[in-house]
Amino acid sequence: MCADIVIIGGGPVGLWSAIQLKKRDPALDVQIYERYEEYRRSHILKLEHRALMLYSKSVYDLPEAKFVAAVTGDNPAKIAKSAIDGEQVYIRTNDLETALKTYAHDLGINISYEKIDSPEEAEARHPECKNFIAADGAHSTMRKALMGENATKDYPLQYVVEIKYEAAGKARPLTVAENLKVNKYLSSMCFEYTGREKDGKTPVTLRFFVDEKTYKSLPEAGFKNPLGLDNKHIPPELAHDMAAYMQARKEKIGEVYKQDSAKISKLELSLYRAKRFAVQKRGKNWFLAGDAAMGVPYFRSLNAGMIISSQLGLILTRRLLSGKAKIAAYNAVQPLDTAWEFTAAHGKNMALNIYDAFRKAGAKMSWKAQKHRKNRNRKGPGAS
């Protein structure tokens, strides 16, 4: 099979990488391999307009206009200004995936729905190809095979328990003042994210920032094996916080929760980066993209991945650069990209800690204190 560039992983960043390559050099034959034909995640992402523009090649043609309208509701000309203004949009992962697939199809990018188990398998299928991109996620099998088990450096930040559910009709987030008022009654700080209404439903994500003990007391729960709201292993304080915040949304904005749509997962928010973004193996050039290269929390991973992929597209389409020069150039952007993203993540983390301290300082009677007072009242006056 002939291909100029082969990409392993057809998630948002893999597709964006292919699109950037094709826009910069329409003659390139770009092949994507993706394990799943239907994208399996539907959580909310925060897509920054600048991620669509920075280092990106804009041609202002019909496919680009269709894509930008699908994900932002705007047009490419206005996106340039909104990127400078720092605008962003919340979008479901699978909606972004659908828009990117349509865009890739319009550009003539080939997507094969097959699992590729190793770099050697990809190389064997495309012996003439010199450049390969691994965009197969945070637990990248390509990265491990190419660089070993200890190919990344990790920096933990926060522990989070997350509820994703659907609200009937259109829903909005609480205002900053409303959020703070509710948070004063909670033992764990909570932030929320609402997506766009689709088919009469709006996706809502609630993130509870918990301590390590609470986090580890919960059984393993991810998007593949989530917990339900009635799970008996959820600590009482956390269960109270979840119920209280959902009740607050019901009272303040009239939200109607779609029964049995809630899925609870836990995640450790951390920074990590591959020690190298690119290597040469067996005469082939391998480049990491997206979560395979670097992971940052607070909805930054997608945006960072798209920006770095745009940089990679710029490097790979420089025909005067040799393979080794392209690897050196891509590895050279790593310190700058990681420094920028890590600084932003640490700044966000510091702001969260300050907010949490402010919340606790002005907190109302804690749930524990309320429970203790109720118990005393049941026992009668003078009870200890």
Side-chain angles (χ1 to χ4, degrees), residues 265-293:
S265 57
K266 66 177 192 176
L267 59 151
E268 185 178 339
L269 297 186
S270 62
L271 303 166
Y272 70 86
R273 63 175 177 83
K275 295 173 183 176
R276 288 178 292 171
F277 277 10
V279 293
Q280 191 172 72
K281 294 282 187 178
R282 299 173 292 276
K284 307 293 185 181
N285 307 317
W286 278 90
F287 303 87
L288 304 182
D291 287 347

mmCIF file of all heavy atoms in Angstrom, residues 265-293:
data_model
loop_
_atom_site.group_PDB
_atom_site.id
_atom_site.type_symbol
_atom_site.label_atom_id
_atom_site.label_comp_id
_atom_site.label_asym_id
_atom_site.label_seq_id
_atom_site.Cartn_x
_atom_site.Cartn_y
_atom_site.Cartn_z
ATOM 1 N N SER A 265 -17.079 8.715 37.146
ATOM 2 C CA SER A 265 -15.732 8.188 36.932
ATOM 3 C C SER A 265 -14.761 8.982 37.794
ATOM 4 O O SER A 265 -15.093 10.049 38.303
ATOM 5 C CB SER A 265 -15.333 8.280 35.456
ATOM 6 O OG SER A 265 -15.418 9.619 35.002
ATOM 7 N N LYS A 266 -13.586 8.449 37.973
ATOM 8 C CA LYS A 266 -12.576 9.177 38.738
ATOM 9 C C LYS A 266 -11.318 9.304 37.890
ATOM 10 O O LYS A 266 -11.019 8.440 37.066
ATOM 11 C CB LYS A 266 -12.279 8.483 40.065
ATOM 12 C CG LYS A 266 -11.616 7.116 39.974
ATOM 13 C CD LYS A 266 -11.311 6.593 41.380
ATOM 14 C CE LYS A 266 -10.390 5.389 41.344
ATOM 15 N NZ LYS A 266 -10.009 4.926 42.689
ATOM 16 N N LEU A 267 -10.618 10.402 38.083
ATOM 17 C CA LEU A 267 -9.401 10.619 37.321
ATOM 18 C C LEU A 267 -8.409 11.436 38.135
ATOM 19 O O LEU A 267 -8.793 12.267 38.956
ATOM 20 C CB LEU A 267 -9.698 11.323 35.996
ATOM 21 C CG LEU A 267 -10.366 12.697 36.029
ATOM 22 C CD1 LEU A 267 -9.954 13.503 34.803
ATOM 23 C CD2 LEU A 267 -11.883 12.560 36.040
ATOM 24 N N GLU A 268 -7.165 11.134 37.910
ATOM 25 C CA GLU A 268 -6.089 11.883 38.547
ATOM 26 C C GLU A 268 -5.593 12.917 37.549
ATOM 27 O O GLU A 268 -5.080 12.568 36.484
ATOM 28 C CB GLU A 268 -4.957 10.942 38.951
ATOM 29 C CG GLU A 268 -3.843 11.623 39.723
ATOM 30 C CD GLU A 268 -2.759 10.652 40.158
ATOM 31 O OE1 GLU A 268 -3.034 9.439 40.228
ATOM 32 O OE2 GLU A 268 -1.632 11.116 40.425
ATOM 33 N N LEU A 269 -5.800 14.183 37.868
ATOM 34 C CA LEU A 269 -5.333 15.237 36.981
ATOM 35 C C LEU A 269 -3.828 15.390 37.159
ATOM 36 O O LEU A 269 -3.342 15.668 38.256
ATOM 37 C CB LEU A 269 -6.029 16.561 37.296
ATOM 38 C CG LEU A 269 -7.543 16.603 37.089
ATOM 39 C CD1 LEU A 269 -8.057 18.014 37.307
ATOM 40 C CD2 LEU A 269 -7.931 16.115 35.708
ATOM 41 N N SER A 270 -3.117 15.187 36.087
ATOM 42 C CA SER A 270 -1.663 15.287 36.165
ATOM 43 C C SER A 270 -1.120 15.820 34.852
ATOM 44 O O SER A 270 -1.795 15.809 33.820
ATOM 45 C CB SER A 270 -1.047 13.917 36.467
ATOM 46 O OG SER A 270 -1.337 13.003 35.421
ATOM 47 N N LEU A 271 0.088 16.293 34.921
ATOM 48 C CA LEU A 271 0.826 16.688 33.728
ATOM 49 C C LEU A 271 1.760 15.542 33.367
ATOM 50 O O LEU A 271 2.329 14.901 34.246
ATOM 51 C CB LEU A 271 1.673 17.931 34.011
ATOM 52 C CG LEU A 271 0.970 19.187 34.517
ATOM 53 C CD1 LEU A 271 1.998 20.167 35.062
ATOM 54 C CD2 LEU A 271 0.188 19.834 33.399
ATOM 55 N N TYR A 272 1.902 15.277 32.107
ATOM 56 C CA TYR A 272 2.929 14.325 31.689
ATOM 57 C C TYR A 272 3.408 14.709 30.291
ATOM 58 O O TYR A 272 2.709 15.388 29.538
ATOM 59 C CB TYR A 272 2.407 12.880 31.697
ATOM 60 C CG TYR A 272 1.403 12.564 30.618
ATOM 61 C CD1 TYR A 272 1.807 12.169 29.337
ATOM 62 C CD2 TYR A 272 0.042 12.673 30.865
ATOM 63 C CE1 TYR A 272 0.882 11.891 28.352
ATOM 64 C CE2 TYR A 272 -0.889 12.399 29.883
ATOM 65 C CZ TYR A 272 -0.462 12.002 28.628
ATOM 66 O OH TYR A 272 -1.385 11.737 27.647
ATOM 67 N N ARG A 273 4.604 14.294 29.998
ATOM 68 C CA ARG A 273 5.150 14.545 28.661
ATOM 69 C C ARG A 273 6.085 13.418 28.283
ATOM 70 O O ARG A 273 6.743 12.808 29.139
ATOM 71 C CB ARG A 273 5.914 15.871 28.629
ATOM 72 C CG ARG A 273 7.130 15.919 29.532
ATOM 73 C CD ARG A 273 7.913 17.213 29.365
ATOM 74 N NE ARG A 273 9.045 17.295 30.279
ATOM 75 C CZ ARG A 273 10.231 16.744 30.055
ATOM 76 N NH1 ARG A 273 10.442 16.043 28.947
ATOM 77 N NH2 ARG A 273 11.218 16.874 30.927
ATOM 78 N N ALA A 274 6.124 13.117 27.005
ATOM 79 C CA ALA A 274 7.101 12.155 26.517
ATOM 80 C C ALA A 274 8.481 12.802 26.571
ATOM 81 O O ALA A 274 8.622 14.005 26.340
ATOM 82 C CB ALA A 274 6.770 11.744 25.087
ATOM 83 N N LYS A 275 9.480 12.014 26.900
ATOM 84 C CA LYS A 275 10.837 12.553 26.996
ATOM 85 C C LYS A 275 11.348 13.020 25.638
ATOM 86 O O LYS A 275 12.185 13.905 25.547
ATOM 87 C CB LYS A 275 11.767 11.496 27.590
ATOM 88 C CG LYS A 275 11.406 11.144 29.036
ATOM 89 C CD LYS A 275 12.220 9.989 29.569
ATOM 90 C CE LYS A 275 11.773 9.615 30.982
ATOM 91 N NZ LYS A 275 12.491 8.426 31.500
ATOM 92 N N ARG A 276 10.806 12.403 24.580
ATOM 93 C CA ARG A 276 11.084 12.849 23.212
ATOM 94 C C ARG A 276 9.787 12.824 22.424
ATOM 95 O O ARG A 276 8.940 11.964 22.642
ATOM 96 C CB ARG A 276 12.122 11.941 22.534
ATOM 97 C CG ARG A 276 13.538 12.097 23.062
ATOM 98 C CD ARG A 276 14.474 11.125 22.371
ATOM 99 N NE ARG A 276 14.181 9.737 22.747
ATOM 100 C CZ ARG A 276 14.729 8.677 22.167
ATOM 101 N NH1 ARG A 276 15.574 8.836 21.159
ATOM 102 N NH2 ARG A 276 14.431 7.461 22.577
ATOM 103 N N PHE A 277 9.634 13.751 21.502
ATOM 104 C CA PHE A 277 8.440 13.795 20.662
ATOM 105 C C PHE A 277 8.620 12.992 19.374
ATOM 106 O O PHE A 277 7.641 12.688 18.701
ATOM 107 C CB PHE A 277 8.099 15.243 20.291
ATOM 108 C CG PHE A 277 7.315 15.983 21.344
ATOM 109 C CD1 PHE A 277 7.118 15.450 22.606
ATOM 110 C CD2 PHE A 277 6.758 17.224 21.067
ATOM 111 C CE1 PHE A 277 6.398 16.127 23.572
ATOM 112 C CE2 PHE A 277 6.026 17.916 22.025
ATOM 113 C CZ PHE A 277 5.848 17.371 23.280
ATOM 114 N N ALA A 278 9.860 12.671 19.030
ATOM 115 C CA ALA A 278 10.109 11.968 17.767
ATOM 116 C C ALA A 278 11.374 11.123 17.868
ATOM 117 O O ALA A 278 12.320 11.484 18.577
ATOM 118 C CB ALA A 278 10.242 12.970 16.620
ATOM 119 N N VAL A 279 11.364 9.990 17.166
ATOM 120 C CA VAL A 279 12.532 9.103 17.112
ATOM 121 C C VAL A 279 12.631 8.503 15.713
ATOM 122 O O VAL A 279 11.659 8.499 14.952
ATOM 123 C CB VAL A 279 12.445 7.947 18.140
ATOM 124 C CG1 VAL A 279 12.528 8.454 19.555
ATOM 125 C CG2 VAL A 279 11.184 7.117 17.919
ATOM 126 N N GLN A 280 13.809 7.987 15.414
ATOM 127 C CA GLN A 280 13.998 7.246 14.167
ATOM 128 C C GLN A 280 14.306 5.800 14.515
ATOM 129 O O GLN A 280 15.212 5.519 15.303
ATOM 130 C CB GLN A 280 15.132 7.847 13.339
ATOM 131 C CG GLN A 280 15.200 7.290 11.918
ATOM 132 C CD GLN A 280 16.199 8.024 11.050
ATOM 133 O OE1 GLN A 280 17.408 7.874 11.234
ATOM 134 N NE2 GLN A 280 15.713 8.821 10.104
ATOM 135 N N LYS A 281 13.530 4.882 13.957
ATOM 136 C CA LYS A 281 13.701 3.453 14.198
ATOM 137 C C LYS A 281 13.645 2.710 12.865
ATOM 138 O O LYS A 281 12.742 2.945 12.058
ATOM 139 C CB LYS A 281 12.586 2.913 15.109
ATOM 140 C CG LYS A 281 12.599 3.458 16.528
ATOM 141 C CD LYS A 281 13.662 2.791 17.379
ATOM 142 C CE LYS A 281 13.556 3.232 18.827
ATOM 143 N NZ LYS A 281 14.537 2.563 19.690
ATOM 144 N N ARG A 282 14.611 1.827 12.657
ATOM 145 C CA ARG A 282 14.635 0.990 11.455
ATOM 146 C C ARG A 282 14.547 1.822 10.173
ATOM 147 O O ARG A 282 13.923 1.423 9.183
ATOM 148 C CB ARG A 282 13.493 -0.038 11.496
ATOM 149 C CG ARG A 282 13.576 -1.004 12.681
ATOM 150 C CD ARG A 282 12.345 -1.880 12.775
ATOM 151 N NE ARG A 282 11.155 -1.103 13.134
ATOM 152 C CZ ARG A 282 10.823 -0.790 14.387
ATOM 153 N NH1 ARG A 282 11.584 -1.181 15.393
ATOM 154 N NH2 ARG A 282 9.733 -0.092 14.630
ATOM 155 N N GLY A 283 15.117 3.019 10.223
ATOM 156 C CA GLY A 283 15.104 3.893 9.060
ATOM 157 C C GLY A 283 13.791 4.626 8.846
ATOM 158 O O GLY A 283 13.615 5.313 7.837
ATOM 159 N N LYS A 284 12.857 4.502 9.801
ATOM 160 C CA LYS A 284 11.556 5.172 9.709
ATOM 161 C C LYS A 284 11.489 6.293 10.751
ATOM 162 O O LYS A 284 12.023 6.163 11.853
ATOM 163 C CB LYS A 284 10.404 4.191 9.962
ATOM 164 C CG LYS A 284 10.447 2.934 9.098
ATOM 165 C CD LYS A 284 10.216 3.238 7.630
ATOM 166 C CE LYS A 284 10.143 1.947 6.816
ATOM 167 N NZ LYS A 284 9.939 2.218 5.373
ATOM 168 N N ASN A 285 10.809 7.372 10.395
ATOM 169 C CA ASN A 285 10.650 8.509 11.303
ATOM 170 C C ASN A 285 9.296 8.421 11.998
ATOM 171 O O ASN A 285 8.257 8.377 11.335
ATOM 172 C CB ASN A 285 10.736 9.825 10.525
ATOM 173 C CG ASN A 285 11.997 9.912 9.686
ATOM 174 O OD1 ASN A 285 13.082 9.561 10.146
ATOM 175 N ND2 ASN A 285 11.861 10.369 8.442
ATOM 176 N N TRP A 286 9.322 8.396 13.332
ATOM 177 C CA TRP A 286 8.097 8.303 14.119
ATOM 178 C C TRP A 286 7.916 9.578 14.943
ATOM 179 O O TRP A 286 8.833 10.016 15.644
ATOM 180 C CB TRP A 286 8.139 7.097 15.051
ATOM 181 C CG TRP A 286 7.761 5.817 14.367
ATOM 182 C CD1 TRP A 286 8.588 4.944 13.725
ATOM 183 C CD2 TRP A 286 6.436 5.277 14.259
ATOM 184 N NE1 TRP A 286 7.875 3.888 13.217
ATOM 185 C CE2 TRP A 286 6.550 4.059 13.533
ATOM 186 C CE3 TRP A 286 5.182 5.679 14.695
ATOM 187 C CZ2 TRP A 286 5.445 3.258 13.242
ATOM 188 C CZ3 TRP A 286 4.080 4.885 14.409
ATOM 189 C CH2 TRP A 286 4.212 3.696 13.690
ATOM 190 N N PHE A 287 6.709 10.147 14.863
ATOM 191 C CA PHE A 287 6.387 11.388 15.562
ATOM 192 C C PHE A 287 5.178 11.151 16.471
ATOM 193 O O PHE A 287 4.195 10.538 16.046
ATOM 194 C CB PHE A 287 6.058 12.495 14.554
ATOM 195 C CG PHE A 287 7.156 12.759 13.563
ATOM 196 C CD1 PHE A 287 7.239 12.016 12.386
ATOM 197 C CD2 PHE A 287 8.118 13.731 13.803
ATOM 198 C CE1 PHE A 287 8.255 12.243 11.467
ATOM 199 C CE2 PHE A 287 9.139 13.971 12.887
ATOM 200 C CZ PHE A 287 9.210 13.224 11.717
ATOM 201 N N LEU A 288 5.248 11.626 17.709
ATOM 202 C CA LEU A 288 4.124 11.511 18.642
ATOM 203 C C LEU A 288 3.242 12.747 18.529
ATOM 204 O O LEU A 288 3.737 13.863 18.380
ATOM 205 C CB LEU A 288 4.624 11.380 20.081
ATOM 206 C CG LEU A 288 5.596 10.245 20.392
ATOM 207 C CD1 LEU A 288 5.935 10.248 21.884
ATOM 208 C CD2 LEU A 288 5.030 8.900 19.973
ATOM 209 N N ALA A 289 1.932 12.536 18.632
ATOM 210 C CA ALA A 289 0.990 13.660 18.561
ATOM 211 C C ALA A 289 -0.089 13.493 19.624
ATOM 212 O O ALA A 289 -0.412 12.383 20.043
ATOM 213 C CB ALA A 289 0.353 13.742 17.173
ATOM 214 N N GLY A 290 -0.654 14.610 20.052
ATOM 215 C CA GLY A 290 -1.749 14.578 21.017
ATOM 216 C C GLY A 290 -1.329 14.006 22.355
ATOM 217 O O GLY A 290 -0.219 14.242 22.843
ATOM 218 N N ASP A 291 -2.223 13.210 22.961
ATOM 219 C CA ASP A 291 -1.951 12.647 24.283
ATOM 220 C C ASP A 291 -0.795 11.655 24.272
ATOM 221 O O ASP A 291 -0.249 11.334 25.329
ATOM 222 C CB ASP A 291 -3.204 11.958 24.827
ATOM 223 C CG ASP A 291 -4.270 12.953 25.255
ATOM 224 O OD1 ASP A 291 -3.949 14.149 25.363
ATOM 225 O OD2 ASP A 291 -5.425 12.539 25.476
ATOM 226 N N ALA A 292 -0.427 11.144 23.121
ATOM 227 C CA ALA A 292 0.743 10.267 23.048
ATOM 228 C C ALA A 292 2.018 11.051 23.340
ATOM 229 O O ALA A 292 3.001 10.500 23.833
ATOM 230 C CB ALA A 292 0.835 9.613 21.670
ATOM 231 N N ALA A 293 1.993 12.361 23.055
ATOM 232 C CA ALA A 293 3.166 13.212 23.270
ATOM 233 C C ALA A 293 3.135 13.916 24.616
ATOM 234 O O ALA A 293 4.147 14.004 25.315
ATOM 235 C CB ALA A 293 3.262 14.255 22.154
#
